[in-house]
Structures are given as C-alpha cells and as structure tokens.
C-alpha cells in the first residue's frame, strides 16, 4: 500500500484510532495507592442485571487478574471503565480526581487508560516501526504523524518499546506477516507508546502457542509497577503464572478476591467456575 492510499484509509480511521491512544493525565492522584475505584456499580440490559453492586479497587502499579464464568460481567466492567457503557448507578474514579462516568471514550483514553481487545487491531500493511510511530503520544493526529519527521527522543522511545515487546528484530517487517502472538505484543506496544497509567488487557493468550504464552506472561509482569495492569483471562495456567491477586466475578459481583491459592480453594469459586 502506498503512503497516499494509507493517508486516505486513515482519514476514516483516525477518530476510531483516538480511542486506543491514551495520554497520561497530570491530574491523576494516586497518593493513596489506588488508581481505579469502582463503587456500587449497577448495570441492567433489558431487565438482565449484568453488573450487580460491583465494588473493586485496583492498586497503583498492580497486576490484577479477573476471572469468572461467561456472563459474569467481565466485559461490561471494562466497558464501564472505558466509557463504552454507562452504569445505571454507582461511581467510577480514576485516581481520586477523575470521574470516569462524566467523560467520553476519547477523554478517558486521553486521561491515561488503554484497552487491548482480544483480537489485535494493528495496521497490517505497515511495518512494526510504522505502527508504533502512528501510536505515538502527542496532540497531532495520525495523518500529521505520517507526514512528520520524528525526533531523536521519539525514536529512542520507539526503540525502548520494541525492546519491551520483544520485536526489535522485526522492526521493518509488515505487521500482517507477524505471528498471532507477535501482533498481540505489537498492539500492547502501541498502547505503551502513550505511557498509560492503566492497561486493560482482554484474554491476551487466546490462540497463542505455549512459547508465546510464556513470553506474554513475562511481558505483562514486566509492565506492572510502572503501569497498573488488569488482565481478563480464562486460561487458569496462565493466570497462575502471572497473578499476585485475583478477582472472581459472578453474576456481576465480586464473588472472591485474593491470591490464586486462596480463590482456587474457595468452595464458592470451585462451585461456580473452577469446577466446570
């Protein structure tokens, strides 16, 4: 694809692209150790209560795993955090000063929350380098980014992210030629270009080889500390490999919370989820 064709394609995609490019906000207050507060959240769809008095708190720099059966409310929870779904009642705060329920999806992304969906959404006809360049933080849009020369500092940032996601050797390779796992890592890298404070990662290892799963575990664990990371995942072996703290959702509420050992030995969790 020529650059001219890409420019025309991205003219239509630029508004959508804005939703996946958070920029960390200087207003964020994490002084008390929590970066995300969900309190008394309720959501109903056509009479079905998808979220039922949900209370959850994510610590600054924490790696949290969210598990639970299908229909437990995991996706709806992430939709609330990112502004895609508005709850019927409750509160959602990013830090202590940012009211997520008063903000649009782009505003939430710009406040410092990045979301990675299960299916990777990369620009397959562009190189790994170009994908990271397109995702670069700043007030310029995608089209402006394509026409501009990047600074040395920006190039250093791209190199840093390439090293983090393990794709340095694939810098000039078309994203479409990457393996499934590599595309997942590239999309995480695109979010990292924005230096988000909170990353929401949905089923990152679905369809991966065992080797790719091991590498993904290393990547997510390496991000914790500098970022808060929330991982929704069904693969219990993968969850055991990364989780310090696990939250189990059931029928839209927190059923149990604690270490993996604690939740997997909880009779309620065994009954509704792990015993399946």
């Amino acid at each position: 694809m020529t650059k001219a064709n890409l420019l025309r394609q991205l003219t239509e995609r630029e508004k959508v692209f804005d939703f996946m490019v958070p920029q960390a906000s200087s207003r964020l207050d994490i002084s008390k150790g929590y970066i995300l507060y969900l309190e008394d959240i309720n959501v109903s769809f056509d009479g079905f209560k998808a979220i039922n008095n949900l209370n959850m708190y994510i610590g600054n720099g924490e790696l949290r795993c969210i598990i639970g059966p299908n229909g437990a409310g995991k996706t709806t929870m992430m939709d609330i955090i990112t502004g895609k779904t508005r709850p019927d009642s409750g509160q959602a705060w990013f830090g202590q000063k940012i009211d997520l329920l008063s903000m649009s999806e782009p505003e939430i992304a710009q406040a410092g929350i990045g979301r990675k969906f299960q299916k990777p959404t990369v620009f397959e006809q562009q190189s790994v380098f170009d994908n990271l360049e397109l995702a670069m933080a700043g007030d310029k849009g995608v089209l402006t980014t394509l026409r501009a020369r990047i600074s040395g500092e920006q190039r250093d940032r791209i190199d840093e992210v390439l090293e983090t996601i393990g794709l340095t050797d694939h810098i000039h390779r078309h994203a479409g030629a990457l393996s499934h796992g590599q595309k997942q890592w590239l999309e995480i890298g695109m979010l990292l270009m924005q230096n988000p404070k909170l990353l929401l990662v949905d089923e990152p290892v679905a369809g991966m080889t065992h080797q790719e799963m091991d590498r993904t575990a290393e990547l997510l664990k390496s991000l914790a500390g500098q970022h808060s990371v929330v991982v929704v995942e069904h693969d219990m072996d993968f969850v055991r490999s990364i989780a310090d703290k696990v939250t189990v959702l059931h029928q839209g509420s927190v059923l149990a919370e604690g270490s993996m050992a604690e939740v997997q030995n909880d009779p309620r969790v065994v009954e509704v989820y792990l015993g399946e």
Side-chain angles (χ1 to χ4, degrees), residues 210-260:
H210 288 298
Q211 185 176 12
E212 288 174 333
M213 289 174 62
D214 290 343
R215 171 60 191 136
T216 302
E218 293 174 2
L219 172 58
L220 293 175
K221 287 191 291 186
S222 75
L223 298 179
Q226 184 176 358
H227 311 269
S228 297
V229 183
V230 175
V231 179
V232 170
E233 184 53 67
H234 287 288
D235 190 302
M236 288 299 98
D237 289 335
F238 181 75
V239 172
R240 290 186 188 96
S241 73
I242 66 171
D244 290 324
K245 188 172 185 178
V246 180
T247 297
V248 185
L249 294 187
H250 178 57
Q251 297 180 345
S253 300
V254 174
L255 177 66
E257 198 167 75
S259 69
M260 189 64 199

Side-chain angles (χ1 to χ4, degrees), residues 45-224:
F45 299 116
D46 298 325
F48 170 72
K49 201 147 193 178
I51 297 293
N52 182 20
N53 198 35
L54 176 64
N55 291 276
M56 187 183 302
Y57 307 90
I58 304 298
N60 179 37
E62 179 183 358
L63 172 56
R64 175 78 63 88
C65 289
I66 311 292
I67 65 173
N70 291 331
K74 301 183 297 295
T75 298
T76 303
M77 175 201 69
M78 290 197 293
D79 287 346
I80 292 168
I81 296 169
T82 55
K84 187 175 181 180
T85 294
R86 296 296 183 189
D88 303 322
S89 60
Q91 299 183 75
W93 293 88
F94 187 43
Q96 295 179 330
K97 297 183 179 180
I98 300 178
D99 180 4
L100 297 178
L101 303 187
S102 68
M103 302 170 72
S104 66
E105 289 183 71
E107 288 171 338
I108 290 172
Q110 296 225 350
I113 297 178
R115 181 176 182 179
K116 193 221 162 302
F117 292 87
Q118 180 179 350
K119 183 179 180 180
T121 53
V122 299
F123 297 100
E124 296 205 349
Q125 298 302 314
Q126 302 307 306
S127 70
V128 169
F129 180 91
D130 288 341
N131 271 267
L132 296 178
E133 184 183 5
L134 288 169
M136 193 173 299
D139 57 3
K140 55 189 177 182
V142 172
L143 304 184
T144 305
T145 301
L146 282 170
R147 297 187 179 108
R149 295 177 67 93
I150 65 173
S151 67
E153 182 179 350
Q154 290 169 327
R155 176 56 194 259
D156 289 344
R157 176 58 181 159
I158 291 175
D159 289 341
E160 179 184 351
V161 169
L162 282 167
E163 180 70 22
T164 298
I165 62 176
L167 294 180
T168 300
D169 293 341
H170 301 277
I171 183 172
H172 299 302
R173 192 176 183 186
H174 276 185
L178 299 174
S179 71
H180 173 68
Q182 289 170 330
K183 289 178 183 177
Q184 299 280 34
W185 305 334
L186 176 57
E187 186 171 16
I188 291 174
M190 293 169 73
L191 291 175
L192 292 178
M193 290 301 301
Q194 310 305 313
N195 195 28
K197 293 294 183 182
L198 174 63
L199 280 169
L200 306 177
V201 185
D202 190 9
E203 295 193 41
V205 300
M208 284 189 180
T209 66
H210 288 298
Q211 185 176 12
E212 288 174 333
M213 289 174 62
D214 290 343
R215 171 60 191 136
T216 302
E218 293 174 2
L219 172 58
L220 293 175
K221 287 191 291 186
S222 75
L223 298 179

